[in-house]
Amino acid sequence: MATGPGTGLRRRAAATLVRRPPAGPPRSGPDAVSQAVTRGVEWAVDGAGPEEDERRLATVEPELRGFAYEGAAMAYTILDVLPGGGRDRTRRLLDGPGRPHLVPVHLGIGAALARLPHRLWRRILPDLADPDHCPLSWLAVDGYGFELAYAHLRRCLVEQRVPAAYPWPGAQAYVPRVVDQGIGRALWFVHAGVAEQAGAAVLRFRPDRQPDLWRGIGFAATYAGGTRPAGLALLAGPHRAELGTGAVLAAKARTDAGVVPAHTEQAARALAGLPVAAAAALADEATRMGDEPGPAYERWREHVRANLPAALRPTA
């Protein structure tokens, strides 16, 4: 491990990031997901350099590697705001080895924001209008919501308080909806990927928050795996299309990384009504949409939703 004046700060940053309940979907093995995230955090904090970090990340089991990249992005985001730490680690990750993992990398950036004072956010917030990463740059907001839920389980998941507003650049009024998508992902992991428990938890929220929570559930169930995805579709009822939209995002994330586990194929078919290849193609088509009014990520979600099989969309 590298040593020097910044070593203590790096270690404290790691300690801040890895304080998570050790929950992981059953199909990933005991605690495998949280362990992969923690590895990514620790290797990035170690300070061995980007080439060594990339080599280490490549040793993670392919199915779990995206989670390790999420952890590395969390750590790099923290390190980029430390005094004298430089500010280009996260950008190098996005433009380099993290390119096939843009979805989890953006989630990791947002998770780190939940652990940082607001006064530091403007140094590292992703540009929500960046043509290279938009609309996926909005997933940093999802990552923020996910980590906020884990840091404040009772407040966010039991008392169901709406997180305080923050002046994110670009479509501030839309931000709470993407935060709720992250909270939906957190529900899936808190309930260890058990469909009936996670779905029942969504139904305890206010009706107006449920669509975005279902999107997060659909992503987590398809990306990470769990139990009985078909059961989720029944629980979601009129929000099956939202569940399917999350599944399409997960299909893209897995396809971009070149690793499509059997549970992702199964969940994509059960939740989105599409095989992974078709779901990923739909996601890419939505990413190339033009500059219509409104938040880019909402345009992406609405294009996906409108092009899911008709059986998933409720009739008027």
Side-chain angles (χ1 to χ4, degrees), residues 159-282:
E159 299 172 2
Q160 301 174 12
R161 298 188 199 176
V162 177
Y166 177 80
W168 294 73
Q172 182 179 347
Y174 178 65
V175 166
R177 295 188 55 194
V178 188
V179 170
D180 272 352
Q181 179 175 296
I183 292 174
R185 282 198 305 120
L187 285 171
W188 183 253
F189 285 93
V190 164
H191 292 285
V194 178
E196 292 79 5
Q197 293 179 18
V202 172
L203 296 175
R204 289 193 287 269
F205 278 75
R206 286 191 336 233
D208 62 308
R209 298 182 67 186
Q210 290 180 19
D212 294 303
L213 296 169
W214 281 117
R215 289 182 176 105
I217 291 275
F219 175 86
T222 307
Y223 189 84
T227 62
R228 299 186 62 240
L232 275 177
L234 294 175
L235 288 167
H239 299 305
R240 286 187 64 192
E242 283 68 38
L243 194 65
T245 302
V248 166
L249 178 61
K252 173 178 171 53
R254 285 298 193 182
T255 300
D256 286 352
V259 178
V260 179
H263 69 251
T264 297
E265 185 67 54
Q266 179 185 11
R269 291 176 182 272
L271 304 183
L274 297 169
V276 163
L282 174 57

Side-chain angles (χ1 to χ4, degrees), residues 16-316:
T16 297
L17 289 171
V18 298
R19 288 183 301 174
R20 292 177 150 210
R27 291 189 182 184
S28 296
D31 302 338
V33 169
S34 58
Q35 288 168 5
V37 173
T38 299
R39 279 191 206 171
V41 169
E42 292 177 341
W43 288 336
V45 169
D46 186 57
E51 293 80 11
E52 178 62 14
D53 290 348
E54 182 178 357
R55 186 196 67 78
R56 290 171 173 176
L57 289 165
T59 67
V60 177
E61 181 182 348
E63 185 174 325
L64 296 169
R65 195 170 297 153
F67 295 106
Y69 269 91
E70 180 182 348
M74 292 168 67
Y76 284 156
T77 302
I78 293 285
L79 292 170
D80 280 349
V81 299
L82 292 180
R87 294 185 183 177
D88 64 347
R89 294 177 182 84
T90 308
R91 173 54 64 180
R92 291 203 311 262
L93 184 69
L94 281 166
D95 293 338
R99 196 76 183 173
H101 304 282
L102 282 184
V103 170
V105 166
H106 278 100
L107 296 175
I109 292 170
L113 291 174
R115 301 291 188 174
L116 287 169
H118 284 183
R119 69 179 183 275
L120 299 177
W121 283 18
R122 291 192 181 277
R123 300 185 192 177
I124 51 177
L125 279 174
D127 183 355
L128 298 183
D130 183 344
D132 289 335
H133 303 297
C134 185
L136 295 183
S137 54
W138 273 94
L139 293 174
V141 183
D142 175 315
Y144 168 74
F146 177 93
E147 197 68 17
L148 200 66
Y150 257 111
H152 306 285
L153 288 170
R154 173 165 290 278
R155 183 191 308 171
C156 292
L157 304 186
V158 179
E159 299 172 2
Q160 301 174 12
R161 298 188 199 176
V162 177
Y166 177 80
W168 294 73
Q172 182 179 347
Y174 178 65
V175 166
R177 295 188 55 194
V178 188
V179 170
D180 272 352
Q181 179 175 296
I183 292 174
R185 282 198 305 120
L187 285 171
W188 183 253
F189 285 93
V190 164
H191 292 285
V194 178
E196 292 79 5
Q197 293 179 18
V202 172
L203 296 175
R204 289 193 287 269
F205 278 75
R206 286 191 336 233
D208 62 308
R209 298 182 67 186
Q210 290 180 19
D212 294 303
L213 296 169
W214 281 117
R215 289 182 176 105
I217 291 275
F219 175 86
T222 307
Y223 189 84
T227 62
R228 299 186 62 240
L232 275 177
L234 294 175
L235 288 167
H239 299 305
R240 286 187 64 192
E242 283 68 38
L243 194 65
T245 302
V248 166
L249 178 61
K252 173 178 171 53
R254 285 298 193 182
T255 300
D256 286 352
V259 178
V260 179
H263 69 251
T264 297
E265 185 67 54
Q266 179 185 11
R269 291 176 182 272
L271 304 183
L274 297 169
V276 163
L282 174 57
D284 287 337
E285 175 187 290
T287 303
R288 295 188 294 268
M289 293 300 292
D291 297 327
E292 293 86 355
Y297 187 54
E298 183 59 14
R299 296 200 305 270
W300 183 93
R301 296 201 306 187
E302 283 303 311
H303 181 84
V304 169
R305 187 184 191 281
N307 287 277
L308 289 172
L312 301 185
R313 301 193 301 275
T315 56

